[in-house]
């Protein structure tokens, strides 16, 4: 991990999207996720194997102590990881979340959540992705959650169907 | 599991809440979770170590294929498990989700989600809970997700603070 | 969960193995898992969608405090869930663990571990299973771990290959 | 993740061990984990918040297809993450694995496993760690598993007790 030979950053950098129109495809799919509009989330970055989603604070997203609810954190982390994976899939495929695990490692107390998803391992059928979520307070970002996720490629099932 | 000697149902039935006012305490906390109002979720059942949350379908809760978004499923499952745990905590404590894993085992395609949380193992500091989520379609409930969760008791920190 | 309508026990009871020779197939595969012999584990029960593995204590299986190591608990839980899933697969398939999550909920302090795996959701490609692990001390079994697992069916790849 | 501002590598590099004798303490604890000797695992590197464990192949560690068993992969990954966390704990504390999730992302087919654990988030009570496991074949290392883990610090309970 600290050794060049095992750098995940290098691995991620080497990822290539088989569909040149991947960014438009991801943006169109994101736009169809109505829940993202309800929450107020935005797709702020999409690259092959990488996806970033941001979500400004509003009272309606709170748990009982006034912080972002853990489920909201999980929702954007799940989508960030999912679209990181989807960016690497062929044009005629759609993506399904098989499962994810979310560790809530600090209170999501701040004015902006940012979920950064990244593919750890692309595969023909199964894809493993991660997402880290930071919360910004007084201009400073703190890691508040991390997600580890398994995705499934649904070949021959266009995402718009 | 199929043997009487290891029945989790029996174990769960034996759980007792140290705070006789646990139900009112859970309902008050749930009412403060603003996200539940945004989604339209309701607390439909609370017993010692058990909590049920229901959520009717609306377009705004969708992912890209028109089903409930996995993050929404995770949000009510997280709260159902969390409040199952909270019901067993002392009056002066609050609950924190440490982490959860969610398996999405069937498309959440239907008109009503029901998350049933249950404490697997109560503990002074850490509590392990589960939640199963069903989706109702044409009057029939199907298991669509299952969650395994670790909670933390925050002693001496009243939930209303 | 406590309601008849959502009984997982009922669901599990309804599981049927497509291969009538499933028990012999599971036993043969278990016998090829050399690690089970190294640990001293035995396959004590196999039914459609259910598998039980037991492991007597020996010093060589310890972590630093003299209890069964969490990885050992995970190893037999992984195999119990995996073979529960394998029992429902066709004759020409093999099973692969995609991922699992293990909660260690009490010290594995005792003379016998028993892992009981059970299929939660069979599927053509993916199977979701659970396993509970108990530890026996002074003749009394205590739940010490619970596992939630995703398996993959490898069609057309016989387990003996 | 790719931005300097959120570099986990930087975060990890900044970790400091409160106990200057952390390396000896970890090595002594590892030596008491009898299961490591049974498997043949070695502690190959220990730094504040980092731990590496290696395990050469032998037939006795196999699953049914002749690869390292997933439970063996999980066992060394669990210990690598756990000792990464333990390295940052005070002298009078011991470490407990609360739970972990393991994704097996490629067959563990090769002659040497290496698990590299790293602390993601240190905390007074709870610690979140990760471990990546590679398998070496024909001199080339491939990522075969990744683990995400929650640890608990047991204050005032020396590891040797």
């Amino acid at each position: 991990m600290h050794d060049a030979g095992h750098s995940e950053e290098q691995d991620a950098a080497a990822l290539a999207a088989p569909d040149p129109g991947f960014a438009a495809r991801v943006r169109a799919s994101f736009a169809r996720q109505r829940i993202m509009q309800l929450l107020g989330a935005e797709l702020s970055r999409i690259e092959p194997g990488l996806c970033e989603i941001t979500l400004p604070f509003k009272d309606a997203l709170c748990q009982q102590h006034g912080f972002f609810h853990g489920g909201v954190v999980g929702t954007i982390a799940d989508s960030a990881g999912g679209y990181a994976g989807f960016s690497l899939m062929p044009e005629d495929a759609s993506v399904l979340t098989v499962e994810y695990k979310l560790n809530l490692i600090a209170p999501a107390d701040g004015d902006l959540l940012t979920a950064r998803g990244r593919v750890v391992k692309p595969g023909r059928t199964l894809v493993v992705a991660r997402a880290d979520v930071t919360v910004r307070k007084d201009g400073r970002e703190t890691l508040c959650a991390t997600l580890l996720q398994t995705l499934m490629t649904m070949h021959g099932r266009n995402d718009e169907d």
Side-chain angles (χ1 to χ4, degrees), chain A:
Chain A
M1 306 191 317
H2 280 211
D3 308 307
H6 316 294
S7 169
E8 291 172 33
E9 307 302 326
Q10 284 192 339
D11 291 350
L15 294 172
D19 170 20
F22 75 92
R25 195 165 41 93
V26 168
R27 289 186 186 282
S29 179
F30 184 88
R32 283 193 300 276
Q33 289 204 333
R34 295 284 305 277
I35 182 70
M36 294 299 150
Q37 299 157 43
L38 182 69
L39 300 178
E42 288 191 15
L43 182 69
S44 47
R45 186 175 165 193
I46 179 72
E47 293 178 24
L50 290 170
C51 177
E52 187 182 282
I53 295 173
T54 54
L55 176 58
F57 181 80
K58 53 182 179 184
D59 282 342
L61 305 178
C62 284
Q63 34 82 292
Q64 69 274 33
H65 301 117
F67 307 150
F68 285 98
H69 190 279
V72 171
V73 174
T75 299
I76 65 166
D78 174 28
S79 279
Y83 283 124
F86 188 48
S87 73
L88 301 180
M89 294 179 186
E91 196 183 344
D92 70 340
S94 63
V95 62
L96 213 84
T97 299
V98 172
E99 59 82 39
Y100 62 83
K101 176 204 199 305
L102 181 76
N103 266 73
L104 297 160
I105 65 186
D109 175 18
D111 54 63
L112 186 78
L113 283 184
T114 303
R116 292 176 178 92
R118 184 180 56 173
V119 170
V120 174
K121 168 77 178 186
R124 199 186 121 74
T125 305
L126 296 180
V127 174
V128 177
R130 270 190 195 147
D132 284 330
V133 185
T134 59
V135 64
R136 190 184 64 189
K137 191 172 188 175
D138 301 330
R140 191 167 171 276
E141 278 192 55
T142 307
L143 189 68
C144 66
T146 190
L147 171 137
L148 180 55
Q149 182 187 42
T150 309
L151 303 166
M152 192 171 190
T153 308
M154 306 296 282
H155 290 282
R157 183 183 161 193
N158 191 287
D159 187 71
E160 292 180 51
D161 293 346

